[in-house]
Amino acid sequence: MPAQTRIALVDCNNFYVSCERVFRPDLSIKPVAVLSNNDGCIVARSPEVKALGIKMGTPVYQISRLIKQHRITLFSSNYTLYADMSARVMTLLENFSPTLEVYSIDESFLDLTGICDKDPLAYGQNIRRTIVQNTGIPVCVGMGPTKTLAKLANYAAKKWPKTAGVVDLADAERRARLMRQVPVNEIWGIGARLAQRLNTLNIVTAWDLASQPVDRIQAQFNIVVARTVMELNGIACLMIDEVVADKQQIVCSRSFKRRLTEEDELAEALAEFCSRAAEKLRNQQSVTGSISVFIRTNPHNAQEPYYQRSASMILPQATQDTRLIIRAGKQLLRALFKAGYRYQKCGVQLSDIRPATQPRQDDLFLYDDRNRTNNAAVLMDTVDQINRRFHKAITVAATGLGQRWQVSINNKSSRYTTEWSELAKVKCC
């Protein structure tokens, strides 16, 4: 008899905060929050901060009193540190299953079918011990016959301390008991708007949704929700994907803490975003055939006129050359920019993304020097290699303006794991 399918979801607890606490053990039980790119909003919270009622995405200025009153330690986002810690966690998880899907920076699905049938809870605890001993990052483990049930089990493992951080939903009766307690909006893939529509049909809990006829749900909603119903009933519709699919769109944007009024400042910021997007494009060995640029002022400031515009361009030839992408982005910005406005945000989106090795139809009337194209590819690859070894040693997007659009980041921790000069120092007394 074949073994019952068992999928596990391993999810790091309060990942960004946990990364910071690894190197600041003095903050282990103190309120800690991590801020967005421009230090404007809360993007990660320790349990102590959550207990204060501070929501995800809350602007810092709105809770300045709470920050002082409860002495909340704030960190600027340190994505270099978080990415490296994530890679370490995922590498350790590969020892527990031959089939692993990295779902996000802090989550991974593992296929444990036939691996831990005798004592899945003990196996889950072994995963937790291994990760925390080797990285300092606490995790919870949820198991079930499907990915949706594994997500649900992980939710329970985080919410109820009595589970000791591991929940297995292989047993149908235990699944039913849990689903009767879980609101429908906590199910993977059920957002706030969809949950409201389900609530109007008296579908309030996960159990209510799992009890619905699949054909009825598909007729009233769509095939995605219908598959969720099947997954909740233990019928797998979502397979583990060992190969991460290439992104079909790459977006790079940022809100500015200081409003920008000059075109050259916006152009400098946009050039930096184009450079980052092009680097991501090359990392997945792709090229882009279309670029879009957008700019906008603050939509929430009633005291100032609102302006938002976007424009797109189909490139003459698909490319991954940072210089060509920056050139196209600046050309679009030139048509969008209007003087007299205080701009809060701008960004770039790369679309029509395809593999760099895919055969292409060239334009007969467009001069294309193959040697020049090959030299450009070699140049970009060389820049990427240098920047991987020496963090941002070469900036193709540099414009000579001194990056005046950049905001000062005052709460950023060190790159403890990737930069020799920033290693943690231990004093022996």
Side-chain angles (χ1 to χ4, degrees), residues 26 41 79 89 127 133 153 251 306 322-323 330 337 354 369 378:
D26 57 305
C41 301
Y79 294 116
V89 171
I127 292 175
Q133 286 175 0
V251 179
Y306 181 62
T322 297
R323 298 166 300 173
K330 287 186 174 182
F337 179 80
R354 65 195 82 158
D369 183 340
V378 172

Side-chain angles (χ1 to χ4, degrees), residues 32 48 171 206-207 221 295 329 363 382 386 400 415 424:
V32 178
E48 296 79 12
D171 180 69
W207 176 254
F221 296 92
I295 57 176
D363 189 332
T382 302
I386 293 173
R415 294 167 290 175

Side-chain angles (χ1 to χ4, degrees), residues 369-380:
D369 183 340
R370 290 295 176 185
N371 289 330
R372 184 175 62 181
T373 301
N374 292 335
N375 289 340
V378 172
L379 172 62
M380 291 297 105

